[in-house]
Amino acid sequence: MTRKGFTFIELIIAALIMAVVVIFIYSAFSVGIKAWRKGSAGQRFQKTRIGLLKFQKELKSSFFFSSEPFKGSASEIVFPSLVSEGGRDKIYIINYYAAQDKDAGARNLMKRKMLFEGNRIKEEEGFNELVFSADSISFQYAYRLNSGSKGFEWRDTWGEAQGKMPSGVRISFKLKDEDEIYSKTMFIPQGELGAE
């Protein structure tokens, strides 16, 4: 007597083996996807950290310059910075600003660096550079308290009318897919110096 099919038990065993193989493959892909997401999140944090370090370095090399004074709002900051290039010191006007990225639905922190030469800004030599992307980005400026007490008051603007530089700058941002709002405070060594 020859059999022309599979028994019920053989079908159940084959289905179980197939289910174990599918579960194993799904688990391997799931672990790989989680590792990839964690790696890309780490890259995003690293890029943000490097951008903030460059921003801090440029702020520390800023100085009071009456031709192009320090200016700032909640979404933009403009300041002069002294850079050594090829054995010569050059003045650059640095502009960090938050720009809306309509495609990604986020805000980009952009940087524009323009050479100041011959008592004017050479606009054509400026270029825009993406620093990092976030859901929200804002700046605040440290005003030293005048009432004899130590401390600072943080405000959303710093204008030419102050005639000096702020004591510090705070940038606050919320990265994509994160609930926490991060902030970095950068104090300026020559802050509160100016035309007084």
Side-chain angles (χ1 to χ4, degrees):
M1 180 169 163
T2 59
R3 289 191 312 168
K4 292 191 175 184
F6 295 103
T7 64
F8 185 65
I9 292 183
E10 289 172 333
L11 288 174
I12 290 176
I13 291 172
L16 284 174
I17 291 171
M18 185 62 96
V20 168
V21 168
V22 168
I23 289 171
F24 177 74
I25 291 171
Y26 173 77
S27 296
F29 277 118
S30 177
V31 167
I33 289 171
K34 285 179 185 175
W36 177 77
R37 284 183 181 154
K38 188 174 182 179
S40 65
Q43 271 184 324
R44 188 170 58 237
F45 278 117
Q46 185 67 11
K47 183 174 182 172
T48 303
R49 191 174 312 123
I50 289 169
L52 290 173
L53 286 172
K54 287 180 182 177
F55 181 32
Q56 183 173 16
K57 181 180 177 185
E58 288 169 340
L59 264 179
K60 286 188 176 186
S61 67
S62 66
F63 60 97
F64 180 77
F65 188 45
S66 59
S67 296
E68 286 293 325
F70 192 104
K71 297 176 278 222
S73 68
S75 62
E76 181 176 27
I77 180 172
V78 179
F79 58 91
S81 184
L82 193 61
V83 178
S84 292
E85 289 180 352
R88 281 187 38 195
D89 288 338
K90 293 185 178 181
I91 297 173
Y92 282 94
I93 305 302
I94 310 292
N95 176 212
Y96 281 91
Y97 60 96
Q100 188 68 36
D101 183 351
K102 294 176 184 162
D103 295 334
R107 302 206 25 106
N108 292 332
L109 181 63
M110 302 294 292
K111 173 185 163 185
R112 183 165 173 80
K113 182 177 175 181
M114 299 161 289
L115 180 63
F116 187 88
E117 195 171 64
N119 289 329
R120 66 182 183 87
I121 297 174
K122 292 194 169 185
E123 280 292 332
E124 66 277 359
E125 293 189 21
F127 61 93
N128 293 318
E129 172 188 339
L130 173 65
V131 180
F132 65 85
S133 293
D135 282 342
S136 65
I137 300 170
S138 65
F139 296 103
Q140 288 185 312
Y141 308 93
Y143 285 75
R144 191 176 300 277
L145 296 175
N146 291 332
S147 59
S149 62
K150 294 182 180 180
F152 301 96
E153 178 183 355
W154 292 95
R155 297 185 193 165
D156 291 334
T157 59
W158 187 275
E160 295 178 42
Q162 269 76 36
K164 52 189 168 185
M165 296 175 55
S167 298
V169 174
R170 178 188 294 156
I171 181 171
S172 300
F173 55 94
K174 181 180 174 292
L175 294 176
K176 286 182 167 189
D177 305 323
E178 295 283 329
D179 293 330
E180 190 172 347
I181 294 177
Y182 299 95
S183 71
K184 170 104 174 137
T185 302
M186 296 163 266
F187 288 99
I188 303 171
Q190 54 279 21
E192 297 291 335
L193 296 177
E196 288 189 302

